[in-house]
Amino acid sequence: MDDKEVNSDEERQEREHFIRIINAFRFYRTHSLKRVKNAEKYFSELPEEHQSMVPTFLENLRLLRTCIDHNYEVIKLILKDSDCMFENKNHGLPEGQTAPKKIPPTAFDMDKVKTTLKQFMRDWSEAGADEREACYGPVMREIKRLYSSDKCDASSVNILVPGAGLGRLAFELAKSGYSCQGNEWSLFMLFASNFVLNKCSEVNSFRLYPWVHQWTNLKHTSDQTVEIKFPDINPTDLAPNTNFSMAAGDFLEVYTDPEAWDCVATVFFIDTAHNIIAYIERIFKILKPGGHWINLGPLLFHYADMANETSIELSYEEVRKVVVRMGFQIEKEEQDVKTTYTQNPESMLQYNYCSVFFVARKPV
């Protein structure tokens, strides 16, 4: 196979992946309403005396349908003009080619859609303020300490945020005056970040129901239909000369230039690697001598035990040794930092991470 055929095959796979993600978003309403319909069916099969004990059950299902419909209206806005989302790519079908037959998305893809909706809560709503403070706060404070105005001009400090999600941390760093680029691989997140960063300009102009898919561990029936508004600030409110951008693509493929960044900030990112050592090695390579790597997060290892995926899982003890052997000097370290990730604060089941926070420096 020559280079032209290889490139053509890669473009085809990329286009198919793009269409698959769009298909998952478009399937959201059908998928979600099916769960409601199943609940309605099971309820109808209960003895009448049991049904009478929860007289508002069907009324709540009607409300859930309304919330799902509204979420889907937001999804349609997210997908609008999606083919033109990337400056250097157009994922529309080649002339004369028809779209492939729509295939119902996998459960994994639908979970990603739901997670993306919850990400609006984490990154761009008042409801996510505490979660952002726990995860982004320590990183922001450390960057402002290391690169304070009495030490340097903030605009000359180049900061990279891999695994940027919906872009709030990268946005906040850019708003503080730093030159900042967020990097994200997931198309689910890229669709959503493109919408909130480029198409939302009024505070709290949209609403979502992030917990509408949570059927268990509810204290109150109303907890399932809690509304959040976003964005809690105006994402377009940046100084005219602000250097802020989002780059799509795999971290290891996009960032290859040595000594290009003053600081790399990773939050809930390094455990998304197939090979975490490769991430650490690349961060060391792209940092300028004297540059800093600031990290906060757990070691969930996203590909662990996932079918047809490779993954190496290390303890933090082993990760720390790799960091040092790579050449980093650890300047600050804190363990058991209590953090959450898109957590419903009212749920009877709470997932709390005892995250690690560290600052590592590449020697001059």
Side-chain angles (χ1 to χ4, degrees), residues 37 42 67 81 84-85 90 99 107 114 140 149-150 153 159 181 184 188 221 225 262 277 287 328 349:
K37 188 174 182 179
Y42 300 152
C67 294
D81 304 322
C84 306
M85 185 169 64
N90 188 320
K114 297 170 191 175
M140 290 283 298
S149 58
D150 60 331
D153 174 17
I159 302 176
Q181 182 170 92
E184 180 57 52
F188 292 100
T221 305
T225 53
D262 297 290
I277 300 173
L287 274 173
F328 281 109
L349 176 63

Side-chain angles (χ1 to χ4, degrees), residues 7 28 48 68 108 127 183 302 317:
N7 291 336
Y28 166 81
E48 287 187 7
I68 289 167
F108 178 82
N183 163 241
H302 291 213
E317 176 188 27

Side-chain angles (χ1 to χ4, degrees), residues 213-228:
H213 315 102
Q214 182 176 336
W215 293 83
T216 60
N217 289 304
L218 297 167
K219 291 180 185 175
H220 308 97
T221 305
S222 59
D223 291 344
Q224 196 174 8
T225 53
V226 165
E227 171 189 285
I228 64 105

Side-chain angles (χ1 to χ4, degrees), residues 6-211:
V6 170
N7 291 336
S8 177
D9 188 58
E10 288 178 351
E11 288 179 4
R12 178 187 59 78
Q13 292 179 17
E14 190 174 307
R15 190 181 300 111
E16 287 178 354
H17 177 67
F18 190 88
I19 292 172
R20 192 190 105 217
I21 305 307
I22 288 181
N23 193 25
F25 274 114
R26 288 176 175 165
F27 200 69
Y28 166 81
R29 183 175 181 274
T30 300
H31 171 82
S32 301
L33 289 180
K34 183 178 180 181
R35 178 64 177 87
V36 177
K37 188 174 182 179
N38 287 341
E40 188 175 48
K41 178 178 180 295
Y42 300 152
F43 182 77
S44 69
E45 294 171 353
L46 295 179
E48 287 187 7
E49 59 268 29
H50 291 179
Q51 293 183 34
S52 66
M53 293 180 182
V54 277
T56 61
F57 187 85
L58 292 178
E59 180 183 339
N60 186 61
L61 293 186
R62 285 191 289 271
L63 181 56
L64 289 175
R65 285 191 174 92
T66 301
C67 294
I68 289 167
D69 285 341
H70 185 83
N71 283 357
Y72 188 58
E73 291 303 310
V74 175
I75 284 175
K76 287 194 288 187
L77 293 173
I78 292 171
L79 295 182
K80 189 178 180 181
D81 304 322
S82 57
D83 283 348
C84 306
M85 185 169 64
F86 304 112
E87 292 180 1
N88 61 339
K89 281 281 187 182
N90 188 320
H91 288 88
L93 292 168
E95 188 176 349
Q97 182 176 328
T98 57
K101 182 180 178 181
K102 289 185 178 180
I103 300 173
T106 63
F108 178 82
D109 283 344
M110 297 316 303
D111 284 343
K112 287 292 185 182
V113 173
K114 297 170 191 175
T115 298
T116 302
L117 294 180
K118 290 189 287 186
Q119 196 79 16
F120 282 99
M121 182 282 299
R122 173 182 170 88
D123 265 17
W124 293 101
S125 79
E126 292 179 6
D130 290 343
E131 191 163 293
R132 290 196 300 275
E133 168 56 30
C135 296
Y136 303 157
V139 176
M140 290 283 298
R141 286 189 288 273
E142 194 59 31
I143 288 174
K144 290 180 178 180
R145 182 186 71 82
L146 292 168
Y147 304 101
S148 59
S149 58
D150 60 331
K151 296 178 182 178
C152 58
D153 174 17
S155 63
S156 68
V157 180
N158 294 313
I159 302 176
L160 174 64
V161 182
L166 265 60
R168 183 62 180 264
L169 175 58
F171 171 87
E172 291 293 348
L173 289 169
K175 192 174 182 181
S176 297
Y178 300 104
S179 296
C180 188
Q181 182 170 92
N183 163 241
E184 180 57 52
W185 175 82
S186 168
L187 273 178
F188 292 100
M189 296 295 180
L190 288 167
F191 279 123
S193 64
N194 175 63
F195 176 69
V196 74
L197 291 171
N198 297 319
K199 300 181 181 181
C200 297
S201 58
E202 295 183 16
V203 175
N204 291 332
S205 53
F206 296 93
R207 67 183 188 273
L208 277 173
Y209 301 90
W211 317 122

Side-chain angles (χ1 to χ4, degrees), residues 123 170 217 232 236 300 309 328 339 362:
D123 265 17
N217 289 304
D232 63 320
T236 65
L300 181 61
E309 295 288 355
F328 281 109
T339 53
K362 180 176 179 177

